[in-house]
Amino acid sequence: GQGLSRETEDALRNLDECIDDLTAKFSEGTDFFQLLVNVFATQLRGAEQAHLANFYAIIPPLTINFVDHMMSCKDQLSKGKRGVAGAFSDDGFMLGVAYVLKVLDQNSKFDSLHWFESVNLSLRDEGRGLDRQRGEKKRATDEEMQSLQLAVGRLKARQVENDLVYFTLSGACVLFKS
């Protein structure tokens, strides 16, 4: 050494070994997401966790609640309410959902619900209903037209948030593909 104590030299050798190990793992293409999935999969897929067998079925109401929450946060933020933290996006929730779906091996079960397709159809039908109402109200009062415009705006905002949830979940699922 260069005047270093034996302990310091040992620590440096240990650090070099750790760096070499990490470098080797990254250069080998070790899939750390898959390692993370494998660690929990054995525990969460066992008989002791049978209550998670239908986890995928609670995702639709969770996404409805999440979309409502995000719309509320954005609404409060745009109105400039004090004490409301900014929440332009929250990818973590959908990342967590994607992870749990993968750990429980329930992606195909969730996909079989066709949840996002159903949401889009429902929102499209609701939009057609609002368009129909707008066409029927040729002589509507300003208040009625304003109410209808607000409903259309809320519907469009909901569609945007649902699309963001879908895209975020789809992107997050790619991280955990085998």
Side-chain angles (χ1 to χ4, degrees):
Q2 301 167 341
L4 300 175
S5 70
R6 191 175 59 76
E7 292 84 11
T8 302
E9 289 179 1
D10 289 344
L12 288 171
R13 248 188 312 283
N14 190 16
L15 178 63
D16 283 341
E17 288 174 16
C18 288
I19 290 172
D20 289 344
D21 185 48
L22 284 173
T23 303
K25 284 187 169 122
F26 277 110
S27 64
E28 290 171 2
T30 301
D31 186 352
F32 290 99
F33 286 121
Q34 194 58 45
L35 286 175
L36 193 58
V37 168
N38 293 341
V39 165
F40 287 96
T42 54
Q43 295 295 315
L44 294 178
R45 291 182 191 167
E48 294 173 1
Q49 306 301 331
H51 61 282
L52 295 174
N54 294 318
F55 171 80
Y56 69 96
I58 67 167
I59 295 172
L62 287 174
T63 59
I64 291 170
N65 185 275
F66 181 71
V67 165
D68 288 344
H69 171 71
M70 291 304 294
M71 288 177 65
S72 173
C73 286
K74 288 179 181 182
D75 187 45
Q76 289 176 3
L77 194 62
S78 70
K79 290 180 180 176
K81 294 197 176 184
R82 294 176 188 238
V84 176
F88 288 103
S89 69
D90 187 358
D91 301 348
F93 178 69
M94 285 293 110
L95 182 65
V97 168
Y99 175 70
V100 174
L101 281 172
K102 179 63 177 180
V103 166
L104 297 175
D105 195 25
Q106 294 182 2
N107 282 305
S108 60
K109 289 180 180 179
F110 175 70
D111 290 343
S112 74
L113 297 176
H114 302 285
W115 168 245
F116 291 106
E117 293 91 343
S118 298
V119 169
N120 286 331
L121 286 173
S122 176
L123 292 173
R124 193 174 314 132
D125 289 346
E126 190 176 337
R128 286 185 189 131
L130 290 173
D131 288 343
R132 200 169 25 258
Q133 284 180 21
R134 200 179 325 178
E136 293 169 357
K137 296 195 181 223
K138 301 267 188 228
R139 297 186 180 166
T141 65
D142 285 345
E143 190 176 300
E144 289 173 323
M145 287 307 288
Q146 187 178 18
S147 175
L148 200 52
Q149 291 294 16
L150 285 172
V152 168
R154 281 192 306 271
L155 181 66
K156 286 180 180 178
R158 181 167 297 283
Q159 181 64 55
V160 166
E161 285 303 320
N162 276 299
D163 287 346
L164 289 172
V165 166
Y166 169 72
F167 295 137
T168 304
L169 181 60
S170 297
C173 285
V174 169
L175 291 174
F176 300 111
K177 290 277 185 211
S178 299

